[in-house]
Amino acid sequence: MPSVLVPAARWERWVANFATGHGGAELTVTDGELRGQAVDGSHFTARLPFAGAYDGPPEAGDFAAAAGAPGEWGVLLVRKGGFAVARMGGAALVEHKIGQRHVQGRTKAGGQSQQRFARRRDNQARQAYEAAADHAARILGGVRLVVAGGDHPAVDAVLTDQRLSSVRVVDPWLAVPDPRRAVLDQAILDAQSVAVDVTNA
């Protein structure tokens, strides 16, 4: 089941609405996660951003307070059509770069022309990933925690660069369209949100 991303500032209200809508709910802390069990059998499991383990009391307010961003982290979004990389200091954007690359789409042609086309397309994609890796290595130098998104193979291709070997990608994985500034801004907000799995009775 896909997770719902809830900004930490809205978390207390989200939990209150869940409890109200399901006849009341009891909160518990298990395995570093906050769990809510409603009277009607509905339940949720909430995880802190940046792979954080929660060890505080079973209270929505305390959980929200624990969801703050680390002092230094990054965002890496890569698709065939472009990339976005950002270095963050807490909730503040320190440095970023967005790049668009033209990578041809698929062709309906057959035979040798299709093979030529596929080779050209692969070369364009490789050059796009190399450019993304260059900017990522410069902007994310020394950063350990990164939230990533876009195409899994594209992100993996960028992260094979030796200069990014110390990067650790943490959830949530962000499904994003071709990165533009608005897409990056939303990804930064989503990366800092509480991830919730909800099961309604």
Side-chain angles (χ1 to χ4, degrees):
M1 168 195 352
S3 295
V4 179
L5 296 174
V6 181
R10 297 216 315 262
W11 178 242
E12 285 186 87
R13 176 174 288 182
W14 189 95
V15 173
N17 288 343
F18 176 86
T20 302
H22 297 282
E26 181 186 4
L27 302 182
T28 57
V29 176
T30 310
D31 298 329
E33 300 173 333
L34 183 68
R35 300 190 178 177
Q37 181 68 50
V39 173
D40 69 358
S42 301
H43 55 92
F44 72 80
T45 301
R47 296 178 301 283
L48 291 174
F50 308 104
Y54 181 66
D55 59 2
E59 301 288 343
D62 293 276
F63 189 81
E72 200 173 58
W73 59 285
V75 175
L76 176 64
L77 309 174
V78 192
R79 290 180 64 88
K80 275 208 168 72
F83 68 89
V85 58
R87 184 188 190 100
M88 304 293 299
L93 180 62
V94 176
E95 186 179 0
H96 77 285
K97 173 69 178 177
I98 298 166
Q100 268 87 49
R101 297 296 285 242
H102 175 66
V103 177
Q104 288 176 305
R106 300 188 180 282
T107 178
K108 290 188 167 60
Q112 285 186 319
S113 64
Q114 185 176 17
Q115 291 168 359
R116 235 185 354 260
F117 187 93
R119 275 198 304 274
R120 189 182 317 135
R121 194 165 174 268
D122 289 344
N123 285 339
Q124 288 172 338
R126 192 179 69 250
Q127 288 165 1
Y129 300 156
E130 286 171 358
D134 283 341
H135 290 293
R138 177 176 59 82
I139 292 172
L140 298 177
V143 171
R144 297 268 183 248
L145 288 182
V146 168
V147 176
D151 291 328
H152 275 283
V155 171
D156 290 345
V158 170
L159 290 176
T160 58
D161 192 295
Q162 201 54 40
R163 295 168 295 177
L164 297 168
S165 59
S166 64
V167 164
R168 176 180 162 225
V169 174
V170 294
D171 286 337
W173 178 268
L174 303 173
V176 296
D178 282 348
R180 302 287 191 269
R181 179 57 196 263
V183 172
L184 175 61
D185 289 345
Q186 186 60 50
I188 288 169
L189 294 176
D190 288 345
Q192 301 174 75
S193 295
V194 174
V196 198
D197 297 325
V198 188
T199 302
N200 290 311

